[in-house]
Amino acid sequence: MASCLRRYCRRILCCCSPCMLLLPVYLYVTMALFFAMKYSTPIGGPTVYSVLPLRFVASGLKHSSDLAPHPEKSFWKTELESGALWNFIQHVTDRQNNPILRPGLATSANLSSNLATGKGTGCSPDSEIISKIPDYSTLPTLMKNFVTAMHCRDYPLIIAPEDVCDHGPLAKIRAPVLLLAIKTQTANFENREAIRQTWGRTGMVRGQGRQGLVRRVFLLGKTEDLHTEKELQLEANEYGDIIQWDFMDTFFNLTLKDVLFWDWFSRLCPHAHFIFKGDDDVFVRMPAVLDYLLKEEEKADERPSKEPTQPNEMEGFVVGDVINNAMPIRSNGTKYYIPESFYKGLYPSYPGGGGVVYSGSLAHRLFEVSQWVHIFPIDDVYLGMCLKRLGVSPIHHPAFLTFDFPKEESKDPCANHTILLVHKRSPAEMFRLWNETSMPSSKCRNATLRVKPRVD
Ligand SMILES: *[C@@H]1O[C@H](CO)[C@@H](O)[C@H](O)[C@H]1NC(C)=O
Ligand SMILES: *[C@@H]1O[C@H](CO)[C@@H](O)[C@H](O)[C@H]1NC(C)=O
Ligand SMILES: *[C@@H]1O[C@H](CO)[C@@H](O)[C@H](O)[C@H]1NC(C)=O
Ligand SMILES: *[C@@H]1O[C@H](CO)[C@@H](O)[C@H](O)[C@H]1NC(C)=O
Ligand SMILES: *[C@@H]1O[C@H](CO)[C@@H](O)[C@H](O)[C@H]1NC(C)=O
Ligand SMILES: *[C@@H]1O[C@H](CO)[C@@H](O)[C@H](O)[C@H]1NC(C)=O
């Protein structure tokens, strides 16, 4: 009798232990399904896209010298970051596009189908969002306007240049080495004119060694001043270098210039080797920039790829004045003010928006990944957010002076010959600098690029 019982016990155990072992798996799947369903209706309605870009990692990739690149946060994290609106919306978007929770989504990087289905959800102001942000009524007007319009990135072109880059069979051969994309506003005619006549000249531009083809576009939104708008149209007819979109050109709308420019670029100038994106009040020592870029390109071509399947390393090339571990500015009254109710946490590393250069192949990837990153009001921080998701670390170059020279260094007679870019310069200073740097005195002819900030 006893042995019989024992036999039954053993049989029951035999049957059940696999079930017991699988129990955690069942539990996990149930919970995953539960959370996937619970959070699949986002507030503010971020668009659901059907295809993910290649090498997309929801929370961002981390690089360290000891380990292979790995996701920054736990891939399975289920709780929402509470409190801050942007973090919440992004969390929902990440959850919806988690390639493991929703495997059907992650197929290939084909965006054409995506653009047809994902967009066009309407761009009227979203008044429901107001209830999601408790201190809405105390926010500065600019932030209020941003929040109610931030679901939209679907603005049509008002002015579009025709022939910035070659089309057709020769498009690739005649592609510019460098495409300048300069953020400007309708009223800043003088800045644009100074740039056209100095560092932003187009055509074949000679570096110190070789030369390269340079093209230029200015990126603008619209204003309410009908008179200057009319003048802008005339300017566009004359120079063919104006791109204007149908959104109000305000500080918090600058990110739209990035995402809409990436879209324009991928359709109309997709073969440019590099893109310079910057402000209209910087001076760029163009021959030095061209030399630097052509050299980087050559280095990348010469380095043998470890595996044939590995992507070209230029796909991750972005250089500028990199800002690490920045905190959002919490004081009401500055133009960079971001309330805690909107964003929590540090900003990712990002190159300062005064001037940054990235490869054309990276621009294509930025265009793709940006569709999974919710619009953020500060454009250079947004670039950092997209780079992080691609696992790309921006390169810091001390010759990008987005905060001008340290005081002592500006007295160095050759200081202006050691830079790639300096912010802020008026149109008159641009002309002076252009003259000075095009014809360096014999003393400064051998000046080399700044290597690291000198300590005063
Ligand atoms: C992407 O879509 C286009 C047009 O629908 C199609 O021609 C192309 O083959 C697709 N590419 C891939 C990789 O699926
Ligand atoms: C921010 O400033 C505005 C006016 O500039 C004020 O009405 C509002 O109360 C301030 N908000 C906070 C959180 O201090
Ligand atoms: C951005 O532009 C849109 C469309 O013109 C406008 O509705 C919105 O208020 C603007 N945002 C800001 C922050 O000015
Ligand atoms: C460098 O350029 C600035 C104009 O931006 C000018 O004021 C300064 O004098 C120049 N430095 C030298 C040493 O020429
Ligand atoms: C720059 O040089 C040109 C010719 O060399 C001269 O005509 C012009 O006045 C100079 N501009 C400035 C701002 O020094
Ligand atoms: C600049 O470099 C050249 C060649 O490298 C050298 O012959 C010349 O003496 C240098 N001039 C100065 C002022 O250092």
Side-chain angles (χ1 to χ4, degrees):
M1 188 65 197
S3 74
C4 181
L5 248 179
R6 213 175 305 135
R7 215 167 55 222
Y8 272 115
C9 277
R10 207 178 297 146
R11 201 170 290 167
I12 288 168
L13 230 105
C14 265
C15 289
C16 290
S17 54
C19 306
M20 307 263 277
L21 286 174
L22 283 175
L23 194 66
V25 178
Y26 291 144
L27 265 175
Y28 172 74
V29 170
T30 317
M31 276 168 61
L33 282 175
F34 169 73
F35 280 110
M37 282 192 244
K38 182 162 175 198
Y39 296 125
S40 60
T41 316
I43 56 167
T47 328
V48 186
Y49 295 96
S50 54
V51 186
L52 288 175
L54 294 171
R55 301 187 290 279
F56 167 80
V57 176
S59 54
L61 272 185
K62 199 172 203 159
H63 289 278
S64 74
S65 48
D66 313 322
L67 301 169
H70 54 282
E72 200 147 80
K73 291 186 218 150
S74 125
F75 218 54
W76 310 108
K77 203 166 129 238
T78 46
E79 77 276 16
L80 288 172
E81 270 144 298
S82 57
L85 183 63
W86 189 93
N87 303 56
F88 179 82
I89 295 176
Q90 189 57 45
H91 187 108
V92 171
T93 310
D94 284 348
R95 173 152 298 285
Q96 286 185 323
N97 295 301
N98 185 316
I100 294 180
L101 287 181
R102 298 163 76 92
L105 300 176
T107 48
S108 82
N110 199 338
L111 266 173
S112 33
S113 56
N114 199 352
L115 291 173
T117 54
K119 285 200 169 183
T121 42
C123 273
S124 46
D126 179 6
S127 48
E128 265 173 51
I129 201 92
I130 295 172
S131 63
K132 306 288 196 309
I133 194 160
D135 55 356
Y136 180 82
S137 62
T138 70
L139 296 181
T141 315
L142 204 63
M143 191 72 206
K144 284 183 183 166
N145 290 347
F146 174 77
V147 169
T148 49
M150 67 180 179
H151 59 290
C152 184
R153 52 172 90 183
D154 217 5
Y155 296 100
L157 283 157
I158 302 175
I159 301 176
E162 303 262 306
D163 310 308
V164 176
C165 298
D166 272 299
H167 307 292
L170 291 178
K172 206 160 178 178
I173 301 164
R174 296 215 193 128
V177 168
L178 184 60
L179 173 65
L180 309 174
I182 301 154
K183 296 176 272 178
T184 177
Q185 289 185 309
T186 310
N188 297 357
F189 172 73
E190 265 185 70
N191 294 54
R192 290 193 290 278
E193 205 45 31
I195 291 169
R196 286 182 185 117
Q197 288 176 32
T198 61
W199 61 266
R201 288 182 186 181
T202 56
M204 291 308 282
V205 173
R206 190 164 271 292
Q208 266 132 15
R210 292 184 295 158
Q211 53 181 7
L213 185 64
V214 175
R215 293 280 181 239
R216 173 190 66 228
V217 287
F218 290 104
L219 313 177
L220 297 100
K222 64 176 180 185
T223 63
E224 273 155 359
D225 181 347
L226 292 181
H227 179 67
T228 51
E229 290 297 306
K230 211 175 264 171
E231 286 184 339
L232 184 74
Q233 184 66 61
L234 296 178
E235 189 186 334
N237 295 345
E238 177 158 356
Y239 295 104
D241 59 2
I242 301 283
I243 305 183
Q244 189 187 31
W245 289 278
D246 189 16
F247 62 80
M248 292 311 289
D249 206 336
T250 59
F251 178 66
F252 274 1
N253 264 346
L254 281 181
T255 306
L256 290 172
K257 291 189 184 176
D258 285 79
V259 296
L260 292 168
F261 168 71
W262 292 332
D263 182 10
W264 179 89
F265 168 80
S266 65
R267 288 184 289 110
L268 288 163
C269 195
H271 302 294
H273 300 207
F274 294 99
I275 289 156
F276 167 86
K277 166 114 194 311
D279 289 338
D280 65 353
D281 58 352
V282 299
F283 178 77
V284 180
R285 210 156 63 88
M286 195 47 77
V289 169
L290 270 177
D291 273 348
Y292 168 70
L293 294 176
L294 289 170
K295 224 169 272 170
E296 288 297 312
E297 199 172 39
E298 209 170 75
K299 270 197 279 179
D301 282 344
E302 278 167 9
R303 260 189 296 256
S305 187
K306 285 170 214 116
E307 293 164 38
T309 51
Q310 224 170 25
N312 182 332
E313 62 188 284
M314 275 295 142
E315 278 192 16
F317 179 85
V318 46
V319 61
D321 183 2
V322 176
I323 298 155
N324 295 307
N325 301 318
M327 287 280 287
I329 292 178
R330 303 296 193 198
S331 55
N332 194 351
T334 81
K335 73 172 182 176
Y336 296 99
Y337 170 59
I338 297 292
E340 243 164 298
S341 56
F342 185 74
Y343 181 82
K344 270 189 185 160
L346 290 176
Y347 289 149
S349 297
Y350 63 92
V356 51
V357 177
Y358 42 79
S359 66
S361 46
L362 181 59
H364 290 287
R365 297 174 68 200
L366 285 167
F367 172 52
E368 290 178 14
V369 85
S370 68
Q371 311 198 34
W372 286 269
V373 184
H374 190 72
I375 296 279
F376 192 80
I378 301 175
D379 62 341
D380 42 10
V381 172
Y382 184 75
L383 174 62
M385 290 168 162
C386 293
L387 291 174
K388 188 172 133 180
R389 263 137 213 288
L390 290 170
V392 169
S393 315
I395 303 164
H396 178 70
H397 199 308
F400 283 78
L401 279 173
T402 51
F403 296 100
D404 215 327
F405 286 106
K407 203 159 170 226
E408 272 309 302
E409 202 181 321
S410 62
K411 292 182 192 142
D412 177 351
C414 292
N416 288 332
H417 301 270
T418 63
I419 54 127
L420 291 171
L421 170 143
V422 64
H423 186 234
K424 291 186 124 186
R425 293 294 180 263
S426 66
E429 285 171 322
M430 282 183 212
F431 282 114
R432 223 175 311 133
L433 272 163
W434 179 247
N435 273 10
E436 187 195 333
T437 55
S438 318
M439 294 169 277
S441 61
S442 57
K443 193 171 56 175
C444 296
R445 203 157 293 150
N446 285 1
T448 51
L449 286 184
R450 285 176 99 246
V451 260
K452 59 178 177 215
R454 288 168 226 181
V455 184
D456 288 348

